[in-house]
Amino acid sequence: MFKNVIRLQSRLGGVITFCKVCPRHEPFRNAVKYSTASAERKRFYQHVSISQSEGGLYEVNLDRKKLKTPSGKLFTVPNEALAIAVATEWDAQKDSIKFYTMHLTTLCNTALDNPTQRSKEQMISAALKFLETDTICYRVDEPPGLVELQRNEWDPVLHWIESRYKVTIGSSSSILGPQVPEGTRETFRQHLGSFSLWPLTGLEFVITQLKSLVLSLGMLDRHLSVERAVLLSRLEEEYQIRRWGNVEWAHDYDMYELQARTAAGALFVHLSSESSTVKHKLMQD
Amino acid sequence: MASLSSPLRACRGILKELRAIQGPSYKQSLAYNYVIDQFRKNKVTGERYCRAQQEAHHASLTYLCLLTSTRNHLALHNLYHGKGERSPEEVAGLVGLRLPTQPGGKGWEK
């Protein structure tokens, strides 16, 4: 513990002395550049291209350099479509590289590096945890308009997933939420177990965005479009917007971000599980 | 799935977004050729129910949504959130005030 404090001090030493020197009303502009997520780099390349390596994996090249993941691994993706989509993201950067707009690249990096070192079972358990607190299973008692809206919009999706997977989920307006039977959880555990690590990374990302396993599976099974899934996920917010008005810099901003992230996750699941279906077809021929 | 718009509209939407990203030379880009190629391959040839085509259609709409949302999000970000914190002068200006310059007050004597 004590050792940690010393290490922290020595790391922050430069910053602390800097603060002492600068006058109190000056914001520490240089000291804040710690987070990498918001940091922007200058675009250092001209052309983006893709190439196929010997193992059949695709790589992305920036000019003559090969793209690498944050941990220094070679950036490789299983198929051409994903490689092209990632290359397009890199090509879309104008003067500076805005990492917060490059969702597919981020997802690939996560799948390649697996920074939290989690196993497939852990990811499935984490995803299933959302079933207990699924957005569309929690209902309100008032106001009547919202109660009706939730019933009209959410119930069809709930019925759809219950008949599609032959499970019972149910909804509830109590703070404890509905009691999800063990059989339901087991069915979904088996279903998620059929995904490999890459699509599972995307699926978990989508679930955490929509805060709903039901909506995520509905979208990935092509029952819902991305826009519709996002709308259903934000149903209460939409209700409040309709009543109190829309604020562009908060509501629209959030909605577009959520849509972009959800679409990226869905596309990632689709593209990373595609390679196996292509092989399947070739074998049939 | 009946509510989906036509594949042609999705295709044109994606190409429009690619053009917004890459400028006039977008026809030479990888993505342009890939998208055109995919849409040609997945053209309807008969009235039969075709699952692969549905899949491709859904994927194309998802990609269109990704491109459009990212563009709109970035535009809003640049408009409202991209400039960092405002200076005290600017904040005061927002509500129609000016910071005091204190002429003849403290520190003015010298």
Side-chain angles (χ1 to χ4, degrees):
Chain A
M1 180 66 196
F2 189 57
K3 214 187 259 176
N4 281 347
V5 173
I6 292 176
R7 202 182 295 152
L8 195 71
Q9 264 198 340
S10 62
R11 202 185 292 163
L12 294 177
V15 181
I16 290 166
T17 46
F18 172 71
C19 296
K20 275 182 196 156
V21 172
C22 68
R24 252 179 73 201
H25 61 270
E26 266 287 311
F28 344 116
R29 278 198 190 111
N30 303 328
V32 216
K33 295 226 163 165
Y34 273 129
S35 80
T36 46
S38 60
E40 292 176 10
R41 279 184 72 182
K42 213 175 144 247
R43 178 171 166 154
F44 55 89
Y45 51 89
Q46 291 291 316
H47 302 286
V48 187
S49 59
I50 62 165
S51 56
Q52 196 173 13
S53 63
E54 296 120 41
L57 295 172
Y58 286 83
E59 297 164 4
V60 176
N61 305 313
L62 306 174
D63 287 340
R64 301 243 159 166
K65 289 184 207 112
K66 286 180 175 178
L67 183 61
K68 289 192 174 163
T69 67
S71 75
K73 271 190 204 166
L74 185 64
F75 186 96
T76 48
V77 292
N79 62 56
E80 191 189 4
L82 195 52
I84 288 178
V86 169
T88 309
E89 276 187 350
W90 282 87
D91 209 15
Q93 307 307 311
K94 297 268 156 39
D95 306 321
S96 57
I97 305 172
K98 296 177 168 37
F99 288 108
Y100 53 86
T101 62
M102 302 163 73
H103 304 297
L104 286 173
T105 310
T106 312
L107 279 167
C108 292
N109 281 335
T110 310
L112 283 166
D113 284 349
N114 194 3
T116 46
Q117 298 296 327
R118 285 188 311 162
S119 66
K120 211 174 130 178
E121 282 70 36
Q122 283 171 310
M123 290 172 83
I124 294 176
S125 304
L128 283 179
K129 253 204 138 46
F130 274 86
L131 190 61
E132 294 159 21
T133 55
D134 204 289
T135 302
I136 74 164
C137 296
Y138 272 87
R139 304 296 168 86
V140 292
D141 288 326
E142 55 178 358
L146 185 57
V147 174
E148 196 186 334
L149 190 67
Q150 289 187 341
R151 197 172 52 231
N152 291 344
E153 300 296 325
W154 283 348
D155 274 356
V157 186
L158 209 53
H159 293 152
W160 172 82
I161 198 151
E162 285 182 336
S163 62
R164 162 81 169 76
Y165 290 95
K166 301 191 177 56
V167 290
T168 43
I169 298 173
S171 60
S172 159
S173 60
S174 101
I175 190 144
L176 294 171
Q179 276 291 325
V180 180
E182 192 51 46
T184 305
R185 216 165 295 161
E186 202 43 51
T187 311
F188 283 124
R189 189 180 295 279
Q190 277 178 12
H191 178 65
L192 296 186
S194 66
F195 286 86
S196 62
L197 195 68
W198 276 61
L200 210 53
T201 308
L203 179 65
E204 205 201 343
F205 182 73
V206 172
I207 293 174
T208 53
Q209 295 306 318
L210 295 176
K211 314 280 185 293
S212 165
L213 182 74
V214 177
L215 291 177
S216 307
L217 287 178
M219 184 178 66
L220 293 171
D221 286 336
R222 299 179 191 85
H223 177 68
L224 301 168
S225 67
V226 179
E227 286 90 344
R228 181 93 185 130
V230 168
L231 177 78
L232 291 179
S233 167
R234 292 166 31 98
L235 199 61
E236 182 169 358
E237 210 172 333
E238 294 292 339
Y239 173 79
Q240 302 294 356
I241 289 172
R242 212 188 297 168
R243 181 141 181 223
W244 303 103
N246 187 32
V247 182
E248 197 181 41
W249 48 262
H251 297 132
D252 284 356
Y253 183 78
D254 282 350
M255 188 199 67
Y256 284 129
E257 184 170 31
L258 190 59
Q259 272 189 5
R261 284 163 168 266
T262 311
L267 202 67
F268 185 79
V269 175
H270 179 79
L271 292 180
S272 59
S273 47
E274 196 181 46
S275 58
S276 58
T277 50
V278 173
K279 263 181 215 156
H280 193 69
K281 269 185 189 164
L282 285 174
M283 271 157 63
Q284 276 181 341
D285 288 339
Chain B
M1 294 301 290
S3 58
L4 293 182
S5 65
S6 82
L8 187 65
R9 277 181 72 181
C11 178
R12 289 172 70 174
I14 291 176
L15 295 183
K16 196 179 131 217
E17 291 297 329
L18 288 178
R19 189 171 171 182
I21 288 174
Q22 284 154 341
S25 64
Y26 75 110
K27 286 195 178 177
Q28 275 99 54
S29 71
L30 288 166
Y32 178 86
N33 290 316
Y34 184 82
V35 168
I36 292 278
D37 195 38
Q38 286 299 309
F39 273 99
R40 285 206 179 121
K41 269 189 201 160
N42 287 296
K43 257 190 194 166
V44 200
T45 48
E47 287 287 302
R48 270 193 316 169
Y49 177 74
C50 180
R51 194 175 156 76
Q53 202 212 353
Q54 294 257 318
E55 275 178 26
H57 188 193
H58 194 270
S60 68
L61 287 174
T62 307
Y63 192 48
L64 176 60
C65 177
L66 171 62
L67 293 176
T68 328
S69 305
T70 309
R71 179 171 54 79
N72 287 329
H73 176 247
L74 192 60
L76 287 179
H77 183 83
N78 289 338
L79 190 59
Y80 295 110
H81 303 273
K83 297 190 194 87
E85 218 169 297
R86 293 176 207 265
S87 69
E89 289 82 7
E90 260 186 288
V91 176
L94 279 182
V95 287
L97 298 173
R98 266 180 300 158
L99 286 188
T101 48
Q102 295 192 335
K106 249 186 186 174
W108 191 256
E109 306 87 272
K110 283 179 239 171

